[in-house]
Amino acid sequence: MLLITTTTILALVVQQNNACFVRSALRFVQKVIVRWDGFDPKYLQTLSVNDKNVEIKYWNSILGNHTSIKIRFDHEYELSNHWIPDLPLKVIIHGWLDSIIHEDGVSCIKTAYVNVGGYNVITVDWGGIAGFRNYMLPMLMTSKIGARLSKVLDNIANLGLVEPANIHLIGHSLGAHIAGVCGSLMKSGMIGRITGLDPAGPGFEFAKLQKKGLKKSDALFVDIIHTSGGSTGIYQSAGHVDFYPNGGGVPQPGCYEGIKLERIILLIGCSHSRAYMLYEDSVYHPDSLMGYKCNSWNDYLNNDCSSEEKTPMGHGASPLARGDFYLKTASSVPFSDLDTPREDL
């Protein structure tokens, strides 16, 4: 809680274009937190990645949003009776303190894909580990979970159900790094696409304690959406395409409700979560959130972009696009409707 509160205050008092200062301050804060927390590495030995604390489930539009098939490790062949042939696979992975059972979390993307149809869908619920409030433990376990997921997907690919190039991993926060590890360890072929939804920053971009995180070599195409860069999310470009809605930092539109303690504590969490909300919207409206290639947020605001290149953010992102893309969004759904009233930031 001390880390979250400190991060929130820093984000409020420092403008977005001073993100370097935010990151420098956070490095100091997080080093203090790590020493103060008294994390005991023995906890890692008591946790194993198994079918109980990492539940992997299969969904499709025929089964609907209320029926799933549990995927047991080394029993992936059981999917053959339910798999829809010739459809691509979407794999959705939540982040810290989340779970697929939380309908207001990243599972909204699963619901969207099942609703629109045309996809096989897998969800990775690692809530048995992500639920630990000591961030250090879930953060350090991401590499083990990613390794387990890569074996499951390799088994599915080896059954001939899907080609690795037709697999798309979508991970939020720590889930983005799990996706990266998974992609880097695939033996049956390179993953087609990984989308990182505000990949976690602590332990990866600053106060580096975990070397294995999402990078653009983990898939044929890696796209990243930044919504709390410099605080809970990474700020630097890390994919083939990096999207920076509203500058990519805190606060995102609709997340700022005034400087009151009970509100500012939730501000960063709101901005961090905005990444998967934007992505969900893009599933229903693939071309609605158009990003424009630019050198910086300030250049974008000043209409001083040297390129006219553009591509939708989220589901419809072009795998041929490269570079940093910027856009404005509204404060609520539909996020492309910029006529929606928004607070003065």
Side-chain angles (χ1 to χ4, degrees):
M1 180 60 72
L2 177 59
L3 174 58
I4 295 175
T5 304
T6 306
T7 303
T8 303
I9 294 172
L10 284 171
L12 283 172
V13 299
V14 180
Q15 295 180 358
Q16 289 179 1
N17 59 358
N18 287 329
C20 290
F21 173 81
V22 176
R23 293 198 300 277
S24 298
L26 281 169
R27 289 190 189 99
F28 170 78
V29 171
Q30 287 172 341
K31 288 178 181 179
V32 172
I33 297 298
V34 168
R35 289 197 298 267
W36 167 81
D37 191 69
F39 175 75
D40 191 341
K42 72 180 181 181
Y43 288 129
L44 285 177
Q45 301 173 5
T46 66
L47 280 179
S48 60
V49 178
N50 53 51
D51 291 338
K52 291 183 178 179
N53 56 21
V54 180
E55 280 198 325
I56 302 178
K57 295 182 178 181
Y58 170 77
W59 314 73
N60 63 37
S61 57
I62 298 174
L63 294 169
N65 267 307
H66 301 291
T67 303
S68 62
I69 306 300
K70 184 172 181 178
I71 302 175
R72 296 186 297 156
F73 184 59
D74 279 340
H75 289 73
E76 289 84 1
Y77 60 85
E78 296 173 345
L79 284 177
S80 300
N81 295 327
H82 306 280
W83 196 271
I84 303 179
D86 302 321
L87 292 185
L89 171 62
K90 303 291 182 180
V91 182
I92 301 157
I93 314 164
H94 65 79
W96 181 44
L97 298 180
D98 198 2
S99 171
I100 291 300
I101 64 174
H102 298 156
E103 294 184 358
D104 59 344
V106 74
S107 66
C108 66
I109 298 174
K110 178 272 297 181
T111 301
Y113 275 123
V114 171
N115 284 342
V116 301
Y119 303 95
N120 293 292
V121 181
I122 285 177
T123 55
V124 181
D125 190 343
W126 60 292
I129 297 172
F132 277 77
R133 293 195 173 275
N134 184 323
Y135 176 80
M136 289 275 293
L137 178 58
M139 182 264 292
L140 292 173
M141 289 293 287
T142 53
S143 56
K144 289 190 174 183
I145 298 167
R148 176 61 167 253
L149 180 58
S150 71
K151 294 177 181 177
V152 171
L153 295 182
D154 271 331
N155 288 344
I156 292 174
N158 291 334
L159 287 168
L161 296 179
V162 66
E163 293 292 329
N166 289 325
I167 298 176
H168 179 193
L169 305 181
I170 305 164
H172 174 243
S173 190
L174 287 179
H177 297 300
I178 291 174
V181 171
C182 173
S184 70
L185 296 177
M186 288 286 290
K187 292 182 169 56
S188 56
M190 183 163 274
I191 290 288
R193 179 181 175 186
I194 295 176
T195 297
L197 303 175
D198 209 34
F204 294 89
E205 186 174 70
F206 39 86
K208 294 183 179 180
L209 298 171
Q210 177 60 279
K211 296 180 180 180
K212 297 180 180 180
L214 178 60
K215 55 189 182 302
K216 63 183 178 182
S217 61
D218 294 331
L220 295 173
F221 177 55
V222 175
D223 58 307
I224 295 175
I225 299 175
H226 303 262
T227 55
S228 68
S231 55
T232 49
I234 66 172
Y235 184 81
Q236 297 297 327
S237 302
H240 295 100
V241 175
D242 287 73
F243 292 94
Y244 293 86
N246 311 296
V250 175
Q252 288 291 306
C255 291
Y256 179 68
E257 298 182 3
I259 303 179
K260 293 183 179 180
L261 182 60
E262 67 272 17
R263 292 177 177 176
I264 64 174
I265 291 176
L266 300 176
L267 183 149
I268 284 192
C270 172
S271 297
H272 192 41
S273 301
R274 182 57 55 87
Y276 61 72
M277 297 173 69
L278 291 169
Y279 191 93
E280 176 201 20
D281 194 27
S282 77
V283 176
Y284 293 115
H285 311 98
D287 299 323
S288 64
L289 299 171
M290 191 62 64
Y292 295 85
K293 188 172 183 178
C294 209
N295 292 326
S296 70
W297 174 239
N298 285 336
D299 284 353
Y300 171 82
L301 292 177
N302 294 325
N303 295 315
D304 194 21
C305 301
S306 58
S307 171
E308 296 183 358
E309 185 177 349
K310 62 182 181 179
T311 186
M313 180 178 71
H315 171 77
S318 169
L320 300 178
R322 295 292 184 272
D324 295 341
F325 289 73
Y326 297 84
L327 67 156
K328 292 180 181 179
T329 72
S331 59
S332 60
V333 176
F335 290 109
S336 60
D337 184 5
L338 293 177
D339 291 331
T340 301
R342 53 183 291 182
E343 65 274 29
D344 183 9
L345 299 180

